[in-house]
Amino acid sequence: MDRSIKIVYFAWVRERLGLEEENIAIGGGVKTISDVLDVLKNRSDTYADIFSDVEKLRFALDQDYGLPASEIGAAQELAIFPPVTGG
Amino acid sequence: MDRSIKIVYFAWVRERLGLEEENIAIGGGVKTISDVLDVLKNRSDTYADIFSDVEKLRFALDQDYGLPASEIGAAQELAIFPPVTGG
Amino acid sequence: MIRVEVGPADFDIGAESAKVAGQGGGAISSFVGQVRDDGNLETLELEHYPAMTQKALLEIAETARSKWSLHAITIVHRVGKLTVGDNIVLVVTGSDHREAAIESCSFIMDRLKTVAPFWKKETRIDGKTKWIEERASDVEASEKWNA
Amino acid sequence: MIRVEVGPADFDIGAESAKVAGQGGGAISSFVGQVRDDGNLETLELEHYPAMTQKALLEIAETARSKWSLHAITIVHRVGKLTVGDNIVLVVTGSDHREAAIESCSFIMDRLKTVAPFWKKETRIDGKTKWIEERASDVEASEKWNA
């Protein structure tokens, strides 16, 4: 079933997109974080550039860390950001 | 050559002797901390009790740690005390 | 008692340490991270993921409490624009034993660096900006606790 | 900069930490040891060997400085009659790196426990007194740094 998911961006991902968050529609075939990335990469060259190298990205589903292969399930929020550098 | 050395006591050694420090005369044959302990043990039963078990004692010659076998050399002050418990 | 605080406000290490000490135990370990002067840093901006930060810090603290016997844990992490010498992060742990206090403080810092959702952006004196990158040594330090 | 202080006066961890931070570096590690409440402790008396204490603490600090890259080391150790909750000892180390700050702080505490000429005597609520004995775990902790 089609639904939408909120995506939030941080650090250089946010800056390069010029966007803090957005809602995107996802079809029933979109099951994993990787699938969401494929949707994003198809949007524009800028998106493709930013989301192609998953090694440089980290993900959280409803504020819990996930991997590209993680199933999004019923998650309402997907966060995409570079490796953290706090502390 | 005969000379005297100052001996300083701490913690339960001091308490059991009822003495913070004393000067004792030592003969030319007294070369090591062990030799000084022998002199002390000969003084009385109390002294013998306190200084017999070297495992329970620690030593410093002119404020540097020494062992029973350490030569006293020209040291002016020998400290005798239990293992330290600061910090 | 676990206390986690995230915001722009500075912290008082003396007061935070006293609060932890007041929870019992005779061993209090603290770590303070500040903006380091490297000669041409203008500002350091700290961004975070508000919906996740508190949760991530609480999880780190709970893990520390499960690994060591602790009376109290305090984590304070600042966000926003900071400059050289400013405080960034404070961790205080209290225990009956110094090993537990010191090790847990070290553990929390290692996890903070690699798990808590904060990002640092430098602005140099010449106006150039740069997002700080993850350090391999931080990742290794954090992973050693899983051994 | 190495600062060593021994005396009956209490210390201010906030002020001491700030002094160390002022010497540079972005990583400040602190440890505070206090008199622990075990339910029936009246007072803890700390005796020391004045002629040797300063020298022993300076040697510990110098060894730490030779093992890690540090901007500042502060050691404050109280003597005299203390009671439950009172501060006994403070160690603060400052470095560019948290590992150096935390490890050197831990090292200094381990050495303090086994090398610095201090002795603790407890007076219990029932009036009985007892000299604290050396703990094997402290000796092991201190020796591990020689490995």
Side-chain angles (χ1 to χ4, degrees):
Chain A
M1 213 187 72
D2 284 13
R3 68 161 179 119
S4 76
I5 188 166
K6 181 176 166 190
I7 313 192
V8 293
Y9 305 113
F10 295 98
W12 61 254
V13 179
R14 174 184 55 71
E15 278 192 345
R16 286 181 60 190
L17 283 173
L19 200 62
E20 292 188 5
E21 61 178 71
E22 61 184 320
N23 285 285
I24 66 161
I26 50 175
V30 176
K31 306 240 178 261
T32 65
I33 291 176
S34 229
D35 295 338
V36 176
L37 292 176
D38 288 338
V39 173
L40 293 171
K41 281 185 279 185
N42 277 327
R43 298 183 126 199
S44 74
D45 286 352
T46 303
Y47 273 81
D49 259 11
I50 293 171
F51 297 107
S52 290
D53 191 353
V54 293
E55 293 296 314
K56 290 184 175 166
L57 299 171
R58 298 294 180 270
F59 312 95
L61 280 168
D62 285 349
Q63 298 88 47
D64 273 321
Y65 279 102
L67 295 170
S70 300
E71 302 218 349
I72 56 174
Q76 296 299 300
E77 184 169 293
L78 168 65
I80 306 181
F81 45 76
V84 300
T85 55
Chain B
M1 213 187 74
D2 284 13
R3 68 162 179 117
S4 76
I5 188 167
K6 181 178 168 186
I7 314 193
V8 293
Y9 305 112
F10 295 97
W12 61 253
V13 179
R14 172 183 57 72
E15 278 192 345
R16 286 180 59 189
L17 284 172
L19 201 60
E20 292 188 3
E21 60 178 72
E22 60 184 321
N23 284 284
I24 67 160
I26 50 175
V30 175
K31 305 241 182 262
T32 65
I33 291 176
S34 230
D35 296 337
V36 177
L37 293 175
D38 287 339
V39 173
L40 293 170
K41 281 185 278 185
N42 277 326
R43 298 182 126 198
S44 75
D45 287 353
T46 303
Y47 273 80
D49 260 12
I50 294 170
F51 298 108
S52 290
D53 191 352
V54 293
E55 292 296 314
K56 290 185 177 165
L57 298 172
R58 298 294 181 269
F59 312 96
L61 281 167
D62 285 349
Q63 298 86 48
D64 273 321
Y65 279 101
L67 295 169
S70 300
E71 301 218 351
I72 56 175
Q76 295 299 300
E77 185 169 293
L78 169 65
I80 307 180
F81 46 75
V84 301
T85 55
Chain C
M1 197 199 62
I2 289 175
R3 195 172 99 74
V4 162
E5 184 122 355
V6 178
D10 197 8
F11 48 77
D12 177 338
I13 175 180
E16 296 295 345
S17 173
K19 270 186 244 170
V20 166
Q23 301 293 310
I28 301 101
S29 183
S30 313
F31 181 85
V32 175
Q34 298 185 331
V35 182
R36 183 147 51 104
D37 186 7
D38 67 356
N40 61 354
L41 183 70
E42 179 77 28
T43 56
L44 186 72
E45 209 168 333
L46 273 133
E47 177 172 338
H48 74 130
Y49 179 6
M52 182 173 174
T53 316
Q54 192 86 5
K55 180 180 171 179
L57 296 182
L58 282 173
E59 275 178 19
I60 293 170
E62 290 289 357
T63 306
R65 184 157 68 174
S66 72
K67 286 170 95 84
W68 290 276
S69 177
L70 302 172
H71 293 289
I73 301 170
T74 293
I75 303 175
V76 186
H77 203 300
R78 297 180 73 189
V79 293
K81 202 168 275 189
L82 303 175
T83 186
V84 168
D86 280 353
N87 289 324
I88 302 172
V89 61
L90 170 70
V91 175
V92 188
T93 54
S95 174
D96 286 351
H97 306 289
R98 74 181 182 289
E99 300 83 0
I102 294 172
E103 282 183 18
S104 61
C105 192
S106 176
F107 167 83
I108 291 167
M109 277 307 304
D110 286 345
R111 286 294 151 104
L112 264 178
K113 292 260 176 190
T114 53
V115 174
F118 294 96
W119 300 272
K120 291 192 185 112
K121 183 187 185 179
E122 293 179 346
T123 302
R124 320 298 306 174
I125 284 172
D126 64 10
K128 285 189 185 136
T129 63
K130 196 186 98 181
W131 288 96
I132 304 273
E133 287 184 30
E134 177 184 56
R135 295 192 315 163
S137 61
D138 285 336
V139 175
E140 279 164 33
S142 183
E143 283 173 354
K144 77 170 187 283
W145 297 105
N146 301 329
Chain D
M1 197 199 60
I2 290 176
R3 194 173 99 75
V4 162
E5 184 122 356
V6 179
D10 197 6
F11 49 77
D12 177 338
I13 176 179
E16 296 295 346
S17 174
K19 270 186 245 171
V20 166
Q23 300 293 310
I28 301 101
S29 182
S30 314
F31 181 85
V32 175
Q34 299 186 330
V35 182
R36 182 149 50 105
D37 186 7
D38 66 356
N40 62 355
L41 182 71
E42 179 78 29
T43 56
L44 186 71
E45 209 167 331
L46 274 131
E47 177 173 338
H48 74 130
Y49 179 5
M52 183 173 173
T53 316
Q54 193 86 4
K55 181 180 169 179
L57 297 182
L58 283 174
E59 276 178 18
I60 293 170
E62 290 290 357
T63 306
R65 183 157 70 175
S66 72
K67 286 171 97 84
W68 290 276
S69 176
L70 302 172
H71 293 290
I73 301 171
T74 292
I75 303 176
V76 186
H77 203 298
R78 297 180 73 189
V79 293
K81 201 169 277 189
L82 303 175
T83 187
V84 169
D86 280 353
N87 289 324
I88 302 172
V89 62
L90 170 70
V91 174
V92 189
T93 54
S95 173
D96 285 352
H97 306 289
R98 74 180 183 288
E99 301 83 358
I102 293 173
E103 281 183 18
S104 60
C105 192
S106 175
F107 167 83
I108 291 168
M109 278 307 303
D110 285 345
R111 285 294 152 105
L112 264 178
K113 293 260 176 191
T114 52
V115 174
F118 294 95
W119 300 273
K120 290 191 187 117
K121 184 188 185 179
E122 293 179 344
T123 302
R124 320 299 306 176
I125 285 172
D126 63 10
K128 285 188 185 138
T129 63
K130 196 186 98 182
W131 288 96
I132 304 271
E133 287 183 29
E134 177 185 55
R135 294 193 315 165
S137 61
D138 284 336
V139 175
E140 280 164 32
S142 184
E143 282 173 353
K144 77 169 188 282
W145 298 103
N146 300 328

